[in-house]
Amino acid sequence: MKAILKLEGLDCANCAAKIENDVRRLPEVEEVNVSFMTQKMTITAPDDKIEGIIEEATRIAKKVEGDVVVKRLK
């Protein structure tokens, strides 16, 4: 399953790369891409794991970029 998250307030390309690298290390993540330009994160993972991965990815994003607001688009 693929999920797309909007990372509103992502202010730094280095932070985007850090978020991407940290989410990539989560178990069961098949693919992740964070775009600083579009402020979107795309995550691909098994259907039964995606919700937990989204929760953890949200925690990671907020830890790296404190003011970021994470919204699920798809």
Side-chain angles (χ1 to χ4, degrees):
M1 171 176 241
K2 185 179 282 191
I4 301 172
L5 307 175
K6 179 74 174 169
L7 303 177
E8 295 178 357
L10 185 61
D11 293 332
C12 168
N14 288 333
C15 293
K18 171 94 171 107
I19 292 167
E20 183 176 296
N21 288 333
D22 289 355
V23 172
R24 183 173 284 118
R25 291 187 193 119
L26 294 174
E28 306 290 334
V29 170
E30 296 168 359
E31 186 177 344
V32 62
N33 183 310
V34 177
S35 171
F36 172 67
M37 295 294 288
T38 64
Q39 294 192 347
K40 290 182 184 175
M41 177 176 4
T42 304
I43 302 169
T44 305
D47 290 353
D48 63 334
K49 303 292 182 186
I50 194 73
E51 293 305 321
I53 290 170
I54 290 170
E55 289 176 20
E56 191 60 32
T58 298
R59 280 193 280 278
I60 290 168
K62 290 180 175 284
K63 183 178 177 184
V64 172
E65 182 82 53
D67 294 331
V68 74
V69 175
V70 181
K71 296 180 181 179
R72 186 167 182 179
L73 299 177
K74 177 183 171 201

